[in-house]
Amino acid sequence: MKKILYVLIVSLGILLYQFPIYRDKTNLKIKNQIRVKYDDKIILISENDSKELLKLLNNKTLYFDSPSCGFYEDFELIFSQGERILPAFDGCDFLKDKKSKKYFSLGENREKFIEILEKYEITVNH
């Protein structure tokens, strides 16, 4: 009986770990502008484009994963409170929250995301 109870508790623990009831979401903030670290340069994104990017990136579900996407430390979006987001550069629609080491997806917003960054000569592969 104790073995069955132990197995049930362990199974429930594993299940809750894999499918948590509470999920973290992106909660990014900007005061004026988003900065982008790209090719050893810091590029300031205009206030309007920063607000647009914030709409695309905020309130996305964060989750643990091991995507086979490429992420480089020299390409990141930097927000007002020090949050850093690393976009995948290889056509993958995932982004990585540097602090939590969790990922989120742009989904159908990828093209708009790329369009905004291309205004600043920031290349994200399709």
Side-chain angles (χ1 to χ4, degrees), residues 72-90:
Y72 281 138
E73 294 291 320
D74 63 346
F75 179 25
E76 59 187 19
L77 283 74
I78 305 167
F79 293 82
S80 298
Q81 296 181 346
E83 305 101 330
R84 293 172 183 258
I85 301 295
L86 284 67
F89 66 86
D90 59 358

PDB file of all heavy atoms in Angstrom, residues 72-90:
ATOM      1  N   TYR A  72      22.299  33.950 -29.834  1.00  0.00           N
ATOM      2  CA  TYR A  72      23.618  34.524 -29.610  1.00  0.00           C
ATOM      3  C   TYR A  72      23.533  35.553 -28.505  1.00  0.00           C
ATOM      4  O   TYR A  72      22.581  36.329 -28.435  1.00  0.00           O
ATOM      5  CB  TYR A  72      24.151  35.224 -30.871  1.00  0.00           C
ATOM      6  CG  TYR A  72      24.717  34.298 -31.904  1.00  0.00           C
ATOM      7  CD1 TYR A  72      24.441  34.496 -33.243  1.00  0.00           C
ATOM      8  CD2 TYR A  72      25.542  33.242 -31.557  1.00  0.00           C
ATOM      9  CE1 TYR A  72      24.963  33.662 -34.211  1.00  0.00           C
ATOM     10  CE2 TYR A  72      26.067  32.402 -32.511  1.00  0.00           C
ATOM     11  CZ  TYR A  72      25.778  32.617 -33.839  1.00  0.00           C
ATOM     12  OH  TYR A  72      26.295  31.781 -34.786  1.00  0.00           O
ATOM     13  N   GLU A  73      24.548  35.588 -27.669  1.00  0.00           N
ATOM     14  CA  GLU A  73      24.596  36.560 -26.578  1.00  0.00           C
ATOM     15  C   GLU A  73      24.784  37.986 -27.089  1.00  0.00           C
ATOM     16  O   GLU A  73      24.504  38.934 -26.379  1.00  0.00           O
ATOM     17  CB  GLU A  73      25.720  36.208 -25.598  1.00  0.00           C
ATOM     18  CG  GLU A  73      25.500  34.914 -24.843  1.00  0.00           C
ATOM     19  CD  GLU A  73      24.350  34.995 -23.844  1.00  0.00           C
ATOM     20  OE1 GLU A  73      24.199  36.037 -23.178  1.00  0.00           O
ATOM     21  OE2 GLU A  73      23.615  34.001 -23.742  1.00  0.00           O
ATOM     22  N   ASP A  74      25.251  38.155 -28.328  1.00  0.00           N
ATOM     23  CA  ASP A  74      25.473  39.514 -28.837  1.00  0.00           C
ATOM     24  C   ASP A  74      24.264  40.051 -29.604  1.00  0.00           C
ATOM     25  O   ASP A  74      24.361  41.017 -30.332  1.00  0.00           O
ATOM     26  CB  ASP A  74      26.731  39.578 -29.704  1.00  0.00           C
ATOM     27  CG  ASP A  74      26.641  38.730 -30.951  1.00  0.00           C
ATOM     28  OD1 ASP A  74      25.728  37.894 -31.036  1.00  0.00           O
ATOM     29  OD2 ASP A  74      27.491  38.909 -31.833  1.00  0.00           O
ATOM     30  N   PHE A  75      23.101  39.420 -29.415  1.00  0.00           N
ATOM     31  CA  PHE A  75      21.861  39.915 -30.012  1.00  0.00           C
ATOM     32  C   PHE A  75      20.774  39.801 -28.954  1.00  0.00           C
ATOM     33  O   PHE A  75      20.293  38.716 -28.661  1.00  0.00           O
ATOM     34  CB  PHE A  75      21.511  39.100 -31.252  1.00  0.00           C
ATOM     35  CG  PHE A  75      20.231  39.507 -31.934  1.00  0.00           C
ATOM     36  CD1 PHE A  75      19.718  40.787 -31.810  1.00  0.00           C
ATOM     37  CD2 PHE A  75      19.552  38.605 -32.724  1.00  0.00           C
ATOM     38  CE1 PHE A  75      18.547  41.154 -32.455  1.00  0.00           C
ATOM     39  CE2 PHE A  75      18.382  38.955 -33.376  1.00  0.00           C
ATOM     40  CZ  PHE A  75      17.883  40.234 -33.238  1.00  0.00           C
ATOM     41  N   GLU A  76      20.421  40.930 -28.330  1.00  0.00           N
ATOM     42  CA  GLU A  76      19.409  40.903 -27.292  1.00  0.00           C
ATOM     43  C   GLU A  76      18.660  42.226 -27.220  1.00  0.00           C
ATOM     44  O   GLU A  76      19.210  43.275 -27.530  1.00  0.00           O
ATOM     45  CB  GLU A  76      20.005  40.549 -25.931  1.00  0.00           C
ATOM     46  CG  GLU A  76      21.075  41.465 -25.428  1.00  0.00           C
ATOM     47  CD  GLU A  76      21.737  40.965 -24.137  1.00  0.00           C
ATOM     48  OE1 GLU A  76      21.641  39.771 -23.803  1.00  0.00           O
ATOM     49  OE2 GLU A  76      22.357  41.790 -23.470  1.00  0.00           O
ATOM     50  N   LEU A  77      17.407  42.152 -26.822  1.00  0.00           N
ATOM     51  CA  LEU A  77      16.581  43.325 -26.584  1.00  0.00           C
ATOM     52  C   LEU A  77      16.666  43.628 -25.095  1.00  0.00           C
ATOM     53  O   LEU A  77      16.478  42.732 -24.268  1.00  0.00           O
ATOM     54  CB  LEU A  77      15.133  43.064 -26.976  1.00  0.00           C
ATOM     55  CG  LEU A  77      14.813  43.099 -28.474  1.00  0.00           C
ATOM     56  CD1 LEU A  77      15.335  41.858 -29.151  1.00  0.00           C
ATOM     57  CD2 LEU A  77      13.349  43.237 -28.694  1.00  0.00           C
ATOM     58  N   ILE A  78      16.946  44.888 -24.771  1.00  0.00           N
ATOM     59  CA  ILE A  78      17.143  45.279 -23.370  1.00  0.00           C
ATOM     60  C   ILE A  78      16.024  46.248 -22.989  1.00  0.00           C
ATOM     61  O   ILE A  78      15.830  47.280 -23.643  1.00  0.00           O
ATOM     62  CB  ILE A  78      18.517  45.943 -23.170  1.00  0.00           C
ATOM     63  CG1 ILE A  78      19.618  45.011 -23.674  1.00  0.00           C
ATOM     64  CG2 ILE A  78      18.727  46.302 -21.700  1.00  0.00           C
ATOM     65  CD1 ILE A  78      20.970  45.670 -23.815  1.00  0.00           C
ATOM     66  N   PHE A  79      15.298  45.928 -21.924  1.00  0.00           N
ATOM     67  CA  PHE A  79      14.157  46.723 -21.482  1.00  0.00           C
ATOM     68  C   PHE A  79      14.528  47.571 -20.269  1.00  0.00           C
ATOM     69  O   PHE A  79      15.594  47.418 -19.688  1.00  0.00           O
ATOM     70  CB  PHE A  79      12.974  45.796 -21.177  1.00  0.00           C
ATOM     71  CG  PHE A  79      12.448  45.129 -22.416  1.00  0.00           C
ATOM     72  CD1 PHE A  79      13.067  43.998 -22.917  1.00  0.00           C
ATOM     73  CD2 PHE A  79      11.368  45.648 -23.097  1.00  0.00           C
ATOM     74  CE1 PHE A  79      12.610  43.386 -24.074  1.00  0.00           C
ATOM     75  CE2 PHE A  79      10.907  45.056 -24.256  1.00  0.00           C
ATOM     76  CZ  PHE A  79      11.527  43.921 -24.744  1.00  0.00           C
ATOM     77  N   SER A  80      13.621  48.457 -19.870  1.00  0.00           N
ATOM     78  CA  SER A  80      13.877  49.463 -18.828  1.00  0.00           C
ATOM     79  C   SER A  80      14.389  48.901 -17.517  1.00  0.00           C
ATOM     80  O   SER A  80      15.260  49.478 -16.887  1.00  0.00           O
ATOM     81  CB  SER A  80      12.607  50.266 -18.533  1.00  0.00           C
ATOM     82  OG  SER A  80      12.197  50.961 -19.671  1.00  0.00           O
ATOM     83  N   GLN A  81      13.836  47.812 -17.064  1.00  0.00           N
ATOM     84  CA  GLN A  81      14.210  47.279 -15.765  1.00  0.00           C
ATOM     85  C   GLN A  81      15.266  46.188 -15.876  1.00  0.00           C
ATOM     86  O   GLN A  81      15.395  45.337 -14.999  1.00  0.00           O
ATOM     87  CB  GLN A  81      12.972  46.781 -15.036  1.00  0.00           C
ATOM     88  CG  GLN A  81      12.007  47.907 -14.732  1.00  0.00           C
ATOM     89  CD  GLN A  81      10.771  47.447 -13.987  1.00  0.00           C
ATOM     90  OE1 GLN A  81      10.470  46.266 -13.901  1.00  0.00           O
ATOM     91  NE2 GLN A  81      10.046  48.403 -13.437  1.00  0.00           N
ATOM     92  N   GLY A  82      16.010  46.212 -16.964  1.00  0.00           N
ATOM     93  CA  GLY A  82      17.111  45.281 -17.136  1.00  0.00           C
ATOM     94  C   GLY A  82      16.727  43.937 -17.722  1.00  0.00           C
ATOM     95  O   GLY A  82      17.579  43.061 -17.870  1.00  0.00           O
ATOM     96  N   GLU A  83      15.440  43.748 -18.044  1.00  0.00           N
ATOM     97  CA  GLU A  83      15.049  42.484 -18.658  1.00  0.00           C
ATOM     98  C   GLU A  83      15.751  42.362 -20.001  1.00  0.00           C
ATOM     99  O   GLU A  83      15.883  43.323 -20.739  1.00  0.00           O
ATOM    100  CB  GLU A  83      13.530  42.411 -18.905  1.00  0.00           C
ATOM    101  CG  GLU A  83      12.684  42.641 -17.679  1.00  0.00           C
ATOM    102  CD  GLU A  83      12.128  44.052 -17.625  1.00  0.00           C
ATOM    103  OE1 GLU A  83      12.773  44.976 -18.140  1.00  0.00           O
ATOM    104  OE2 GLU A  83      11.054  44.226 -17.043  1.00  0.00           O
ATOM    105  N   ARG A  84      16.180  41.162 -20.319  1.00  0.00           N
ATOM    106  CA  ARG A  84      16.886  40.913 -21.580  1.00  0.00           C
ATOM    107  C   ARG A  84      16.225  39.732 -22.283  1.00  0.00           C
ATOM    108  O   ARG A  84      16.065  38.669 -21.694  1.00  0.00           O
ATOM    109  CB  ARG A  84      18.360  40.651 -21.342  1.00  0.00           C
ATOM    110  CG  ARG A  84      19.074  41.897 -20.825  1.00  0.00           C
ATOM    111  CD  ARG A  84      20.492  41.612 -20.403  1.00  0.00           C
ATOM    112  NE  ARG A  84      21.096  42.814 -19.866  1.00  0.00           N
ATOM    113  CZ  ARG A  84      21.947  43.582 -20.539  1.00  0.00           C
ATOM    114  NH1 ARG A  84      22.287  43.275 -21.772  1.00  0.00           N
ATOM    115  NH2 ARG A  84      22.452  44.663 -19.989  1.00  0.00           N
ATOM    116  N   ILE A  85      15.889  39.963 -23.531  1.00  0.00           N
ATOM    117  CA  ILE A  85      15.244  38.942 -24.356  1.00  0.00           C
ATOM    118  C   ILE A  85      16.162  38.639 -25.530  1.00  0.00           C
ATOM    119  O   ILE A  85      16.613  39.550 -26.222  1.00  0.00           O
ATOM    120  CB  ILE A  85      13.875  39.437 -24.868  1.00  0.00           C
ATOM    121  CG1 ILE A  85      12.936  39.780 -23.706  1.00  0.00           C
ATOM    122  CG2 ILE A  85      13.258  38.441 -25.834  1.00  0.00           C
ATOM    123  CD1 ILE A  85      12.537  38.613 -22.845  1.00  0.00           C
ATOM    124  N   LEU A  86      16.435  37.365 -25.752  1.00  0.00           N
ATOM    125  CA  LEU A  86      17.284  36.944 -26.866  1.00  0.00           C
ATOM    126  C   LEU A  86      16.410  36.321 -27.946  1.00  0.00           C
ATOM    127  O   LEU A  86      15.806  35.272 -27.721  1.00  0.00           O
ATOM    128  CB  LEU A  86      18.312  35.907 -26.408  1.00  0.00           C
ATOM    129  CG  LEU A  86      19.514  36.391 -25.621  1.00  0.00           C
ATOM    130  CD1 LEU A  86      19.155  36.916 -24.271  1.00  0.00           C
ATOM    131  CD2 LEU A  86      20.535  35.297 -25.533  1.00  0.00           C
ATOM    132  N   PRO A  87      16.321  36.966 -29.119  1.00  0.00           N
ATOM    133  CA  PRO A  87      15.566  36.364 -30.220  1.00  0.00           C
ATOM    134  C   PRO A  87      16.394  35.271 -30.891  1.00  0.00           C
ATOM    135  O   PRO A  87      17.614  35.373 -30.968  1.00  0.00           O
ATOM    136  CB  PRO A  87      15.349  37.520 -31.199  1.00  0.00           C
ATOM    137  CG  PRO A  87      15.786  38.753 -30.494  1.00  0.00           C
ATOM    138  CD  PRO A  87      16.720  38.332 -29.412  1.00  0.00           C
ATOM    139  N   ALA A  88      15.730  34.246 -31.375  1.00  0.00           N
ATOM    140  CA  ALA A  88      16.416  33.244 -32.188  1.00  0.00           C
ATOM    141  C   ALA A  88      16.745  33.900 -33.522  1.00  0.00           C
ATOM    142  O   ALA A  88      15.977  34.703 -34.036  1.00  0.00           O
ATOM    143  CB  ALA A  88      15.519  32.032 -32.395  1.00  0.00           C
ATOM    144  N   PHE A  89      17.893  33.589 -34.062  1.00  0.00           N
ATOM    145  CA  PHE A  89      18.337  34.253 -35.284  1.00  0.00           C
ATOM    146  C   PHE A  89      18.182  33.381 -36.521  1.00  0.00           C
ATOM    147  O   PHE A  89      18.454  33.819 -37.624  1.00  0.00           O
ATOM    148  CB  PHE A  89      19.809  34.674 -35.150  1.00  0.00           C
ATOM    149  CG  PHE A  89      20.743  33.504 -35.047  1.00  0.00           C
ATOM    150  CD1 PHE A  89      21.240  32.889 -36.171  1.00  0.00           C
ATOM    151  CD2 PHE A  89      21.081  33.001 -33.808  1.00  0.00           C
ATOM    152  CE1 PHE A  89      22.080  31.797 -36.073  1.00  0.00           C
ATOM    153  CE2 PHE A  89      21.924  31.907 -33.702  1.00  0.00           C
ATOM    154  CZ  PHE A  89      22.415  31.307 -34.829  1.00  0.00           C
ATOM    155  N   ASP A  90      17.702  32.173 -36.367  1.00  0.00           N
ATOM    156  CA  ASP A  90      17.759  31.212 -37.469  1.00  0.00           C
ATOM    157  C   ASP A  90      16.410  30.835 -38.075  1.00  0.00           C
ATOM    158  O   ASP A  90      16.256  29.770 -38.631  1.00  0.00           O
ATOM    159  CB  ASP A  90      18.475  29.957 -37.005  1.00  0.00           C
ATOM    160  CG  ASP A  90      17.776  29.306 -35.825  1.00  0.00           C
ATOM    161  OD1 ASP A  90      16.763  29.849 -35.360  1.00  0.00           O
ATOM    162  OD2 ASP A  90      18.246  28.249 -35.369  1.00  0.00           O
TER     163      ASP A  90
END
